[in-house]
Amino acid sequence: MKRLAIAAVVIGIMFVGAPPAFAVAPTVSSFNPTSGMVGDSVTISGTDFTGASDVSFNATSAVVFNVDSDIQVTATVPSGATTGAISVTNVDGTGTSSTNFTVVPTPPPVITSFSPHHGPIGAAVLITGSDLDHVTSVDFNGTSASFSASTTQITTHVPAGPVTGPITVTNEGGSDATNVNFEVVRRPVISSFSPHKGPVGTIVTLFGSHFRWVTRVWFGQRGAKFAVVSDAKLKARVPKGFKDARIRVRNAAGQDVTGLAFHQRKIRIGTSVTLGLHLHLRAAGVVNAQNNTHACEARRLVLIQRLINGSWHTIKKVRTGARGGYNVAIPDQPGTYRAVTIHKKALRLDCLPDVSPTAKHEHAGGGGGGGGGGGGSCTPGYSLCLVYHGGADYDCAGGSGNGPYYTTPGVVYHVSGSDPYGLDADNDGLGCE
């Protein structure tokens, strides 16, 4: 009995020291492809891969690998890998390939173009070039961005936080950057504007920031034409269709609205009227718009008025010609005269009526009688000579005027003065043509 007990102890010790029958290390029989660059996928074939904890390329562990089955593992060539054997490790040991995997140097990426060249945070950007499939990072002026890549294209999105600058792509072989900056579009900010009121067509200047990529400007709900002067200044033309409204600007990143409203005012353009009394029989002058526009001059109604017993009385009405001038015969009476413009609704602009300075005239000494070729001095401003007859009127020969004097038939007179006889009806400097 004592001998049997000892034998049992010996047998137990031998059992504990022997390896279990199912404990087997992996074996690596082949891999495909047999060469590649960092980032390439390699399929490894062998046995006992279940539970693999490490795959190495010449002792450099792969960060990414997947045990597809007990006989297959897929691994990505890791950064820093060099040419050498591939090994697979599990809890029972390591299996190593009998042949080497050749690591091919990765060519640096090349960027040929990108689009768009500006956009807000989150905007998609397409980068084109070559050798982009092994890119490991994309950044916008130093800020990393997510991406997806193929050999010739990278799709990425503008990350939060970057400032305007180049886009850089990097792989194991190097990096490349765009030669044109990507410009990050920020929401526009309006700090002030001037003027705060005006008529349609007024140019309003807005001050602020991030105006460079503004796409729309509104006054209330009315779109306006605009021009970007700089990133901090923008000019917009006041549109029709509103009275009081805030100004709104927009770009791809958002919009901003003025704190104060712009007040639209109906355009009012003052007029300047001149008056001259010539030879006691004619009133002549010009109606000019004071802000260099000629819209109010043509067809302007002018009243010639005389001061009688302390009150102004209209003695003649006349309309201005195409150049804003007027010339009309008036009764030959001493006194104080003025010219007044009258608003005409048909005119496109609303001009303010204005009154000319007053003018006085008295009777002058009479000249000799006779016809157009009679004696006496010539009337100033005409060539050939028209003899002055104490202010009596001339009409063109053969015309519809009632004289009492007429010009020489067939003669064209050069008019260089105020044309007291009204011979130059079209204001072209020629009378009776």
Side-chain angles (χ1 to χ4, degrees):
M1 292 295 291
K2 187 174 183 180
R3 228 183 290 168
L4 289 173
I6 294 172
V9 171
V10 173
I11 292 170
I13 293 172
M14 291 177 62
F15 179 80
V16 171
F22 56 85
V24 179
T27 62
V28 177
S29 58
S30 64
F31 47 84
N32 183 52
T34 59
S35 65
M37 295 180 290
V38 171
D40 282 348
S41 180
V42 179
T43 301
I44 305 166
S45 299
T47 61
D48 299 303
F49 289 157
T50 300
S53 59
D54 181 75
V55 177
S56 295
F57 290 74
N58 198 24
T60 300
S61 294
V63 177
V64 178
F65 71 89
N66 184 66
V67 178
D68 302 324
S69 67
D70 194 53
I71 60 173
Q72 180 175 298
V73 172
T74 303
T76 300
V77 181
S79 176
T82 56
T83 298
I86 297 176
S87 60
V88 179
T89 300
N90 66 14
V91 294
D92 299 309
T94 300
T96 303
S97 64
S98 60
T99 58
N100 289 338
F101 176 84
T102 302
V103 177
V104 179
T106 304
V110 176
I111 298 174
T112 56
S113 65
F114 69 99
S115 179
H117 286 190
H118 65 274
I121 292 172
V125 178
L126 180 66
I127 303 170
T128 58
S130 57
D131 296 308
L132 302 179
D133 50 337
H134 290 90
V135 164
T136 56
S137 67
V138 176
D139 68 72
F140 287 70
N141 199 27
T143 301
S144 296
S146 60
F147 67 94
S148 60
S150 66
T151 303
T152 58
Q153 290 186 339
I154 294 175
T155 300
T156 184
H157 291 80
V158 182
V163 294
T164 294
I167 303 173
T168 303
V169 297
T170 303
N171 67 12
E172 190 71 18
S175 61
D176 194 17
T178 59
N179 54 14
V180 176
N181 287 341
F182 179 87
E183 299 198 38
V184 179
V185 177
R186 306 287 187 183
R187 184 181 68 85
V189 176
I190 303 171
S191 58
S192 62
F193 67 96
S194 179
H196 289 84
K197 61 182 178 180
V200 172
T202 298
I203 301 299
V204 178
T205 302
L206 285 79
F207 302 94
S209 58
H210 309 311
F211 288 158
R212 181 183 174 109
W213 301 112
V214 165
T215 56
R216 293 291 304 273
V217 176
W218 294 270
F219 285 69
Q221 300 302 314
R222 295 289 180 173
K225 295 182 178 180
F226 68 95
V228 175
V229 179
S230 69
D231 200 49
K233 183 187 293 187
L234 180 151
K235 292 182 179 290
R237 187 182 298 276
V238 176
K240 297 179 181 179
F242 75 96
K243 184 178 181 182
D244 299 323
R246 295 184 180 185
I247 306 172
R248 180 164 47 106
V249 298
R250 182 179 180 83
N251 65 17
Q255 65 180 10
D256 196 19
V257 182
T258 58
L260 300 175
F262 179 87
H263 304 282
Q264 188 183 119
R265 295 291 180 262
K266 193 173 184 181
I267 188 167
R268 300 182 69 83
I269 299 176
T271 55
S272 174
V273 187
T274 63
L275 171 66
L277 300 173
H278 305 279
L279 303 178
H280 321 303
L281 291 173
R282 305 198 73 81
V286 177
V287 177
N288 290 317
Q290 294 177 345
N291 65 342
N292 296 323
T293 177
H294 298 281
C296 296
E297 296 181 356
R299 302 298 299 164
R300 168 66 61 189
L301 182 63
V302 178
L303 305 182
I304 308 302
Q305 297 182 335
R306 178 169 174 261
L307 189 61
I308 302 174
N309 296 326
S311 300
W312 292 104
H313 294 265
T314 299
I315 60 172
K316 190 67 80 170
K317 297 179 181 180
V318 63
R319 291 193 183 278
T320 58
R323 299 179 184 178
Y326 66 91
N327 192 315
V328 63
I330 59 174
D332 185 14
Q333 296 177 344
T336 301
Y337 291 77
R338 72 176 185 181
V340 181
T341 59
I342 299 299
H343 170 62
K344 182 178 182 295
K345 292 182 179 180
L347 292 177
R348 185 168 60 89
L349 300 180
D350 180 17
C351 300
L352 290 175
D354 199 3
V355 178
S356 73
T358 58
K360 293 184 179 181
H361 92 101
E362 300 175 355
H363 288 294
S377 61
C378 296
T379 303
Y382 292 103
S383 177
L384 301 166
C385 179
L386 289 173
V387 177
Y388 176 66
H389 292 284
D393 192 24
Y394 273 91
D395 288 313
C396 293
S400 59
N402 57 359
Y405 295 99
Y406 296 92
T407 63
T408 303
V411 174
V412 176
Y413 294 82
H414 290 274
V415 181
S416 59
S418 58
D419 191 17
Y421 302 138
L423 303 182
D424 182 14
D426 56 3
N427 294 319
D428 65 352
L430 299 176
C432 300
E433 74 260 56

